């Protein structure tokens, strides 16, 4: 997602940065030896007060926080206003994102997918649901998360969703991603921290601007 930082008058956007490939074992990347080895993905807009453009990434913040250099964290701390791609702390945003993923006119996924692909997908989701309890961590269980609840939170109402959103959903139903559920992604974490610090926050895009390009893809493109 995107977000924006600015100094006493914060006015910048976080541009999206590409994720580095994960190591073969799915573990954490090697920490650089010094701050100089870190790519900050931070740009300064020279004005008075300064503004900043920072590149964020859609992964749990704990995976990347140690790789964010001090200058980026200092810019966030010093900023009075922060603007994100979307306001993920607004219940309307979450509701609108869920609604925009649905097929129109009451259609179901079975109506639009080839039959063999639909049944392959259903078998895969049944497998994921079966494996979910073994994928969850003790910390997740300690927070009161249950496998059925977690599966429904990720895959609930999947038969009503457009194929592109189902594809993205399936990509997030891996053991590694399931074990990270409950940890906010970097964008949401920064938004939560901004609220705690009483910073002024906002969004630069509307949900419709996010959904329409994806919903405009035809089946062959998906």
């Amino acid at each position: 997602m995107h977000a924006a930082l600015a100094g006493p008058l914060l006015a910048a956007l976080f541009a999206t940065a590409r994720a580095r490939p994960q190591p073969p074992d799915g573990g954490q990347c090697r920490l650089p030896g010094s701050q100089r080895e870190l790519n900050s993905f931070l740009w300064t807009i020279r004005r008075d007060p300064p503004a900043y453009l920072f590149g964020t990434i859609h992964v749990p913040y704990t995976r990347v926080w140690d790789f964010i250099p001090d200058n980026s964290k200092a810019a966030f701390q010093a900023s009075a206003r922060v603007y994100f791609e979307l306001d993920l702390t607004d219940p309307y945003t979450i509701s609108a994102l869920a609604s925009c993923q649905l097929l129109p006119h009451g259609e179901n996924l079975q109506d639009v997918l080839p039959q063999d692909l639909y049944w392959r997908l259903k078998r895969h989701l049944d497998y994921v649901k079966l494996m979910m309890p073994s994928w969850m961590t003790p910390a997740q269980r300690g927070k009161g998360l249950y496998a059925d609840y977690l599966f429904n939170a990720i895959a609930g109402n999947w038969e009503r969703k457009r194929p592109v959103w189902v594809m993205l959903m399936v990509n997030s139903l891996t053991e590694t991603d399931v074990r990270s559920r409950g940890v906010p992604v970097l964008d949401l974490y920064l938004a939560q921290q901004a609220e705690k610090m009483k910073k002024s926050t906002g969004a630069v895009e509307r949900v419709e601007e996010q959904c329409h390009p994806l919903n405009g893809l035809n089946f062959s493109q998906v």
Side-chain angles (χ1 to χ4, degrees):
M1 291 195 133
H2 306 281
L5 296 177
L9 294 175
L10 175 65
L13 308 175
F14 285 108
T16 303
R18 293 182 180 177
R20 296 178 184 177
Q22 287 197 0
D25 63 359
Q28 297 290 340
C29 296
R30 179 188 64 84
L31 277 172
S34 71
Q35 286 282 315
R36 272 185 264 180
E37 294 182 46
L38 293 170
N39 188 332
S40 67
F41 297 106
L42 180 74
W43 289 262
T44 301
I45 301 172
R46 299 189 185 282
R47 59 188 287 275
D48 187 20
Y52 305 94
L53 180 68
F54 178 64
T56 59
I57 188 171
H58 298 283
V59 297
Y61 83 95
T62 49
R63 290 193 196 172
V64 295
W65 191 249
D66 290 340
F67 297 90
I68 297 176
D70 292 341
N71 67 336
S72 300
K73 294 175 181 176
F76 179 78
Q77 292 281 344
S79 296
R81 303 176 202 160
V82 186
Y83 296 89
F84 297 90
E85 183 180 5
L86 294 172
D87 183 0
L88 295 178
T89 64
D90 183 354
Y92 167 77
T93 300
I94 306 304
S95 174
L97 281 172
S99 296
C100 85
Q101 297 178 21
L102 300 180
L103 285 162
H105 316 304
E107 288 180 319
N108 288 304
L109 199 58
Q110 195 168 9
D111 300 325
V112 298
L113 283 185
Q115 189 176 36
D116 61 333
L117 182 57
Y118 172 82
W119 287 109
R120 279 176 55 200
L121 172 63
K122 191 174 188 309
R123 287 194 299 270
H124 177 69
L125 292 177
D126 288 343
Y127 162 76
V128 169
K129 189 172 184 178
L130 180 67
M131 296 301 297
M132 189 82 79
S134 65
W135 289 352
M136 293 183 63
T137 67
Q140 287 172 319
R141 295 190 188 92
K143 294 177 181 177
L145 289 176
Y146 295 94
D148 284 346
Y149 169 83
L150 199 55
F151 179 84
N152 287 329
I154 302 171
N157 209 23
W158 66 269
E159 293 189 83
R160 286 278 294 112
K161 292 184 178 181
R162 296 171 185 263
V164 65
W165 297 102
V166 173
M167 178 188 69
L168 295 172
M169 177 196 77
V170 169
N171 286 342
S172 70
L173 281 171
T174 66
E175 180 176 358
T176 299
D177 285 330
V178 166
R179 292 171 71 87
S180 297
R181 284 285 167 161
V183 178
V185 295
L186 179 60
D187 306 77
L188 179 56
Y189 175 74
L190 290 173
Q192 292 170 340
Q193 294 303 304
E195 282 198 338
K196 287 180 182 178
M197 298 175 188
K198 308 298 182 186
K199 298 178 185 293
S200 174
T201 61
V204 297
E205 292 185 15
R206 294 177 292 113
V207 170
E208 295 76 14
E209 293 172 320
Q210 288 250 314
C211 285
H212 288 170
L214 287 174
N215 288 349
L217 296 175
N218 61 41
F219 182 74
S220 63
Q221 290 171 317
V222 174

